[in-house]
């Protein structure tokens, strides 16, 4: 079993979120890659840690691992938000791989290299992508 983790923050920063009760471990099979992964999520003082366990960590599947971790964390935070009547958002921005290599998504080219459909330098391509997302509700929901 290999272990890695994602970390991130809850916003806005002026409210410190502490979820006191234990969050049950989530065991999920990611169908497109046929891998079962367990997510153990903890939130303390608005810092989010998602400890992940998987039989075989594959770097090429990192996007899947992150997407599902983000979905599960976002659901927990939205339930918490709803119970308090305060809007919170969450952003997972870092991974620490099983080899203890740390990658900060907001500061390296991981996301940029993954974006193949347009370039921010090409404003017409960006506007085309924006219009496509605007007109397709399912696409809009999948990236928001």
């Amino acid at each position: 079993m290999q272990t890695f983790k994602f970390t991130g923050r809850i916003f806005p920063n002026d409210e410190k979120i502490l979820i006191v009760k234990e969050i049950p471990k989530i065991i999920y099979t990611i169908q497109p890659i046929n891998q079962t992964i367990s997510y153990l999520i903890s939130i303390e003082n608005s810092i989010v840690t998602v400890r992940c366990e998987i039989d075989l960590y594959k770097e090429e599947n990192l996007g899947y691992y992150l997407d599902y971790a983000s979905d599960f964390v976002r659901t927990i935070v939205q339930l918490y938000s709803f119970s308090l009547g305060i809007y919170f958002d969450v952003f997972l921005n870092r991974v620490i791989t099983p080899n203890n290599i740390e990658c900060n998504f907001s500061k390296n080219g991981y996301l940029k290299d993954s974006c193949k459909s347009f370039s921010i330098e090409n404003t017409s391509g960006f506007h085309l992508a924006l219009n496509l997302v605007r007109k397709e509700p399912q696409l809009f929901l999948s990236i928001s």
Side-chain angles (χ1 to χ4, degrees):
M1 192 67 70
Q2 293 183 293
T3 302
F4 61 101
K5 70 180 176 180
F6 296 106
T7 60
R9 295 197 55 79
I10 294 176
F11 297 96
N13 288 332
D14 55 343
E15 298 283 339
K16 296 296 181 203
I17 304 303
L18 172 65
I19 296 183
V20 178
K21 297 182 179 170
E22 286 187 25
I23 300 167
K25 181 187 282 190
I26 299 167
I27 300 172
Y28 190 79
T29 300
I30 303 172
Q31 293 301 326
I33 58 174
N34 196 28
Q35 281 193 291
T36 300
I37 186 168
S38 67
Y39 294 100
L40 187 57
I41 300 166
S42 63
I43 300 171
E44 189 171 344
N45 292 326
S46 297
I47 303 295
V48 179
T49 303
V50 183
R51 187 172 173 268
C52 307
E53 292 179 343
I54 197 162
D55 284 334
L56 180 62
Y57 174 87
K58 297 179 182 177
E59 189 172 332
E60 65 268 20
N61 293 336
L62 183 59
Y64 286 105
Y65 308 150
L66 176 61
D67 283 348
Y68 286 93
S70 295
D71 287 346
F72 292 132
V73 169
R74 193 175 305 111
T75 299
I76 291 164
V77 170
Q78 287 173 348
L79 286 170
Y80 195 83
S81 293
F82 181 65
S83 73
L84 294 176
I86 302 172
Y87 175 77
F88 296 106
D89 204 353
V90 64
F91 178 61
L92 298 177
N93 67 327
R94 185 172 302 206
V95 65
I96 301 170
T97 70
N99 298 330
N100 214 26
I101 296 170
E102 193 170 323
C103 176
N104 187 331
F105 299 130
S106 59
K107 293 185 181 174
N108 72 18
Y110 175 76
L111 292 176
K112 181 179 179 181
D113 293 344
S114 297
C115 180
K116 305 293 184 207
S117 57
F118 69 91
S119 166
I120 199 72
E121 287 84 22
N122 177 351
T123 56
S124 65
F126 177 77
H127 288 109
L128 221 93
L130 182 60
N131 282 331
L132 176 65
V133 169
R134 187 177 55 83
K135 292 176 184 175
E136 295 291 333
Q138 289 297 80
L139 183 57
F140 175 79
L141 289 173
S142 72
I143 65 170
S144 64

